[in-house]
Amino acid sequence: MSILTVETTPFDDQKPGTSGLRKKTKVFMGDHYLENFVQAIFDGIGGVTGKRLVVGGDGRFYNDKAVKIILRMAAANGAARVIVGQGGLLSTPAASHLIRLNKTDGGIILSASHNPGGENEDFGIKYNTANGGPAPEGVTDAIFAKTKSMSSYKIWDGEAPDLDALGDSHLGDMVVTVVDPVSDYADLMETLFDFGAIRGLFADNFTMRFDAMCAITGPYAIEVLENRLGAAKGTVVHGTPLPDFGGMHPDPNPTWAHELMDEMFSEDGPDFGAASDGDGDRNMIVGHNVYVSPSDSLALIAAHAKNAPGYKDGLPGVARSMPTSAAVDRVARALGIPCFETPTGWKFFGNLMDAGKVALCGEESFGTGSDHVREKDGLWAVLMWLNIIAATGKGVGELLRAHFKEFGRNYYSRHDYEAVESDKAQAAYQKLRADLAALSGTTYGDLNVAQADEFGYTDPVDGSVSNAQGLRVMFEGGSRFVLRMSGTGTSGATLRLYLERYEDDPDQLDLDPQDALAPIISAAEQIVGFAATLGRAKPDVIT
Ligand code: G1P
Ligand code: ZN
């Protein structure tokens, strides 16, 4: 057996997006495509000689083959050890935890997150650094630069070991350690939450449904909720990860998790419901007859985190992505802690957490998490809610109503225009961008534009600057809309319109969000002209 050096030529489309490189699975399966990118990762981080890595993915189609290719390439590039989840499986938060727990130099995670999986759907790959978090832009830029001049890659000429057998084996000089993907993560959860209290809740006939959407969280949720916390067997549905997610679109929002929504809004629905995405980092929280928006979930967790043992001393600060609603800002003000506003993408929270400035972070896109890992964490959010419910003795609806009464309500919604022809999406985006300067002081119905700008971010820890992170139109009184181009789509362009309105009139706290936001939706239409520019009468997905 020996190291093969395979000649190749660069691909011009390997620029990592919001969360790594995502393409159609068949693109990754094409000759040299995955291999080029993996070599670019290795070269972009200064080589892997003598380094230790974690590798795993969400089990979607091609996961197993890709893991084996990466192992053979790591061996050929001189890595010392690779820790792999059994069967090549690891949820994204569990991978982040394993990197931190074993103090490895980094890790490679295979996933296209909430995008559908299968031979004709999506695949993805990303690199996480030694802190367990997604590589910051400096690193992804270096990787991208390497993809542009790729002329050869190294791969071990021999079979990768059996990924189903736990324990150590060798691939050349490299040690491959196959670990149980669930147990270390489940142990970590036990250190953060009051498992005794949550067990008491379930013993008291509290009912729950967790929809794993045939994706990676199934085994984690079964182990934690059913085995360790005593939730009834069958609490976790769609709990077996499948290469095509059983045809489900594993995006935990009311549109794609409609089976769960139907159950939660049925007469005999359970007390508590939750869903997670393809790679286990997203979450959706639902009570019986009540849906919790991700921005409200973040704010409520901030207000109640002290109930969980891992957070009993309070939070040093919180952070949210710019398009996420300002509900959490109000809680931070009340708690007297800082609230940071970052660009979209979990990678921007890493420095803040490493510096101890924040312990809780969230995005409107169903992402919540803390400094226990450096990824968002779906099951973590679910356990935090269960802990809060157990500690306060209040249900989801009761908690939410009390929260709105105390802090007011940030009505919120996101309208997505998906797979739009790129030139049309660009036209709409660039039109608003060009109009920004002239918008201040203009009026739409009762709404006066107070400020309009393009969001840019200077990282308070390392001073790095990230410009062009979305367009904001802010109205007097705290309402606003934000327009962004998605950085995770794989066909055409996806435009995201984020809408927000603050309300503290006690009689106005229970409106339908779309009704509450109607004036802002109409202002956005007047200002951007979606219908005319995109040729779409309405958005494809509303969350
Ligand atoms: C989307 C979400 C963003 C999230 C990312 C990865 O990115 O909007 O909040 O961090 O997926 O899960 P986008 O497609 O908007 O670039
Ligand atoms: Zn995800």
Side-chain angles (χ1 to χ4, degrees):
M1 296 299 167
S2 61
I3 295 169
L4 292 178
T5 301
V6 180
E7 283 187 17
T8 186
T9 49
F11 293 94
D12 61 8
D13 63 348
Q14 294 196 323
K15 185 172 170 52
T18 313
S19 184
L21 183 68
R22 290 195 196 162
K23 299 282 172 198
K24 289 290 164 203
T25 310
K26 281 198 171 140
V27 174
F28 274 104
M29 291 167 72
D31 283 346
H32 309 310
Y33 195 88
L34 173 71
E35 291 86 344
N36 269 27
F37 192 71
V38 172
Q39 189 65 53
I41 293 177
F42 292 165
D43 294 350
I45 60 170
V48 291
T49 308
K51 289 186 179 171
R52 296 158 69 245
L53 299 170
V54 167
V55 176
D58 65 9
R60 67 181 61 221
F61 189 90
Y62 197 53
N63 186 78
D64 46 352
K65 294 202 172 59
V67 166
K68 291 191 169 183
I69 289 171
I70 294 167
L71 288 175
R72 290 169 57 212
M73 290 186 66
N77 279 272
R81 180 189 290 266
V82 175
I83 298 170
V84 201
Q86 193 174 24
L89 299 179
L90 283 177
S91 77
T92 292
S96 181
H97 177 52
L98 282 182
I99 293 171
R100 297 167 65 77
L101 182 70
N102 295 287
K103 301 192 168 50
T104 69
D105 297 280
I108 293 178
I109 301 177
L110 301 168
S111 169
S113 186
H114 51 288
N115 295 10
E119 191 169 2
N120 295 311
E121 297 294 351
D122 292 357
F123 193 80
I125 173 169
K126 69 173 179 173
Y127 178 71
N128 281 30
T129 49
N131 72 347
E137 277 188 343
V139 177
T140 54
D141 287 348
I143 293 170
F144 179 49
K146 293 290 180 188
T147 68
K148 291 194 270 194
S149 59
M150 195 53 57
S151 60
S152 68
Y153 59 84
K154 285 186 190 157
I155 187 159
W156 188 256
D157 182 18
E159 280 286 303
D162 175 10
L163 298 179
D164 291 328
L166 293 174
D168 284 355
S169 58
H170 276 86
L171 189 55
D173 290 337
M174 186 179 88
V175 179
V176 177
T177 305
V178 178
V179 298
D180 179 306
V182 176
S183 55
D184 287 321
Y185 173 86
D187 292 349
L188 174 66
M189 294 301 115
E190 292 212 35
T191 68
L192 301 173
F193 300 110
D194 187 345
F195 270 43
I198 303 173
R199 230 178 265 126
L201 198 63
F202 286 121
D204 215 12
N205 293 324
F206 181 84
T207 52
M208 171 174 181
R209 179 171 172 135
F210 183 100
D211 195 334
M213 303 188 86
C214 301
I216 191 73
T217 339
Y220 294 85
I222 290 170
E223 172 62 12
V224 174
L225 297 172
E226 297 185 9
N227 298 348
R228 299 199 186 191
L229 289 168
K233 297 281 172 221
T235 294
V236 178
V237 298
H238 299 124
T240 304
L242 300 172
D244 65 349
F245 305 125
M248 292 183 93
H249 185 156
D251 196 355
N253 63 42
T255 303
W256 294 116
H258 52 86
E259 272 184 50
L260 176 68
M261 292 299 281
D262 290 348
E263 176 76 10
M264 295 308 299
F265 282 78
S266 68
E267 208 173 309
D268 302 323
D271 300 311
F272 185 65
S276 61
D277 72 331
D279 62 332
D281 58 357
R282 293 187 176 203
N283 75 90
M284 179 175 79
I285 302 293
V286 205
H288 187 210
N289 291 321
V290 53
Y291 162 74
V292 185
S293 88
S295 295
D296 289 336
S297 172
L298 176 67
L300 196 137
I301 288 175
H304 293 274
K306 267 189 163 183
N307 287 301
Y311 308 88
K312 65 176 184 336
D313 298 332
L315 304 166
V318 293
R320 63 165 171 87
S321 66
M322 180 273 283
T324 302
S325 98
V328 72
D329 303 37
R330 295 176 188 280
V331 177
R333 261 200 301 282
L335 294 172
I337 58 173
C339 177
F340 296 86
E341 185 180 34
T342 61
T344 296
W346 207 260
K347 60 187 172 215
F348 292 101
F349 296 135
N351 277 348
L352 295 170
M353 289 192 270
D354 286 350
K357 290 182 182 296
V358 305
L360 172 70
C361 306
E363 293 195 273
E364 51 64 44
S365 52
F366 299 82
T368 328
S370 89
D371 59 353
H372 66 290
V373 290
R374 293 293 181 274
E375 291 278 4
K376 54 189 179 250
D377 188 343
L379 193 50
W380 175 92
V382 173
L383 293 169
M384 178 59 101
W385 268 88
L386 286 169
N387 197 142
I388 293 169
I389 291 167
T392 59
K394 292 182 182 154
V396 176
E398 214 180 337
L399 283 165
L400 207 57
R401 279 189 298 277
H403 187 89
F404 293 153
K405 209 170 151 207
E406 183 174 354
F407 294 99
R409 178 168 181 181
N410 289 68
Y411 282 103
Y412 191 84
S413 182
R414 187 175 104 186
H415 291 192
D416 290 336
Y417 295 86
E418 294 189 332
V420 180
E421 292 92 316
S422 293
D423 51 345
K424 287 186 183 166
Q426 275 296 341
Y429 192 84
Q430 295 306 338
K431 175 183 178 309
L432 175 59
R433 194 164 185 262
D435 289 349
L436 284 175
L439 283 176
S440 283
T442 56
T443 295
Y444 302 85
D446 291 340
L447 293 167
N448 301 320
V449 178
Q451 194 192 328
D453 64 14
E454 183 165 39
F455 182 62
Y457 180 66
T458 303
D459 186 300
V461 178
D462 66 13
S464 57
V465 175
S466 302
N467 284 321
Q469 297 293 329
L471 310 176
R472 310 190 281 192
V473 178
M474 291 166 277
F475 301 99
E476 286 166 12
S479 296
R480 65 168 186 167
F481 73 85
V482 171
L483 189 65
R484 258 189 84 245
M485 283 285 201
S486 157
T488 58
T490 54
S491 40
T494 290
L495 267 180
R496 305 201 193 286
L497 172 68
Y498 309 80
L499 304 141
E500 179 173 358
R501 171 187 149 196
Y502 178 67
E503 181 61 69
D504 60 1
D505 177 344
D507 295 330
Q508 300 286 313
L509 296 177
D510 199 21
L511 308 176
D512 177 311
Q514 300 308 318
D515 294 340
L517 292 164
I520 300 146
I521 296 170
S522 151
E525 174 57 39
Q526 287 174 62
I527 293 172
V528 186
F530 294 100
T533 325
L534 307 182
R536 304 243 174 133
K538 56 181 180 49
D540 301 279
V541 178
I542 294 181
T543 52

